Amino acid sequence: MKTLAIIGSGDLGQQIAHYAITDLKYQKVVFFDDFTTEKEVNSFSVIGTTKDIESAFKNQLFDEIIIAIGYKHLAVKKQLFEQLQATIPFGTLVHSTSWVDPTAIIEKGCVIYPGCVVDAHAVIKANSVLNISCSIAHDTVVGSHCFLSPRVAVAGFVTIQEQTIIGINATLIDNITIAEKTQIGGGTVVIKSIEKSGLYVGNPAKFIR
């Protein structure tokens, strides 16, 4: 069994560490964190900062890495991924209670929480998170570095561009495109394409800022 390194030992990192171990995907988890002074978080060792990642990998202290930086810092998450992907193997964590169709593609660095459904020919691009009970219908593409909150429902033939945040219980109808760096508030119902990045809330979705 492998050792997983997680960048970020905050709440998101601790959740991912918990699933990695309890779902028997990895034997061991270690953290890298630029902001904590703790040497251990929830019994998992903090073995350095992001500057220490490459040397730790060369010293075989971990096998794969996942970035657990929250939805407020997706640009940093993207930057770290692009910086590391050529030299460090990224893991992919799909919880055993989620159903992923054999024709779907989950790219490297993604985390699929418990109870998700990813239907036929859907694509979840690199470094994205699907939180608990998300449903991604057929032929939909979730772009890189996105964060989908619990119970997001996305219909078929949707394209969600990179660094998009979708709030809890939001619904997206079929055959639409969401512009990059868009934030869709909790409970929002999106019934047409969003071409301008910004914050959208309501039913139907309205541009706020």
Side-chain angles (χ1 to χ4, degrees), residues 183-205:
Q183 183 173 357
I184 295 170
T188 297
V189 179
V190 185
I191 62 170
K192 61 182 181 180
S193 290
I194 291 175
E195 297 173 0
K196 178 183 177 183
S197 301
L199 171 63
Y200 293 79
V201 300
N203 181 5

Side-chain angles (χ1 to χ4, degrees), residues 54-194:
E54 294 198 20
S55 62
F57 179 68
K58 285 175 185 171
N59 290 325
Q60 300 183 327
L61 298 183
F62 68 92
D63 300 290
E64 295 176 341
I65 200 162
I66 280 174
I67 304 173
I69 295 175
Y71 59 83
K72 294 180 181 177
H73 305 286
L74 294 184
V76 176
K77 189 177 179 186
K78 176 183 178 180
Q79 179 187 348
L80 277 168
F81 181 84
E82 291 180 344
Q83 174 188 325
L84 294 171
Q85 64 171 332
T87 53
I88 308 294
F90 273 80
T92 302
L93 190 60
V94 179
H95 197 272
S96 61
T97 60
S98 287
W99 180 78
V100 177
D101 187 87
T103 63
I105 296 169
I106 311 292
E107 292 187 354
K108 62 185 179 179
C110 288
V111 179
I112 312 295
Y113 273 57
C116 292
V117 173
V118 181
D119 201 2
H121 305 291
V123 179
I124 313 300
K125 291 196 167 253
N127 201 28
S128 286
V129 172
L130 270 57
N131 214 303
I132 293 169
S133 298
C134 286
S135 178
I136 309 298
H138 61 91
D139 299 283
T140 279
V141 177
V142 176
S144 300
H145 327 295
C146 288
F147 188 98
L148 277 59
S149 302
R151 296 191 301 277
V152 165
V154 184
F157 298 107
V158 172
T159 299
I160 299 168
Q161 294 180 349
E162 70 164 50
Q163 296 183 71
T164 289
I165 304 162
I166 305 184
I168 188 168
N169 277 334
T171 301
L172 282 64
I173 71 152
D174 57 323
N175 291 287
I176 61 174
T177 297
I178 308 299
E180 67 175 27
K181 300 179 183 176
T182 293
Q183 183 173 357
I184 295 170
T188 297
V189 179
V190 185
I191 62 170
K192 61 182 181 180
S193 290
I194 291 175

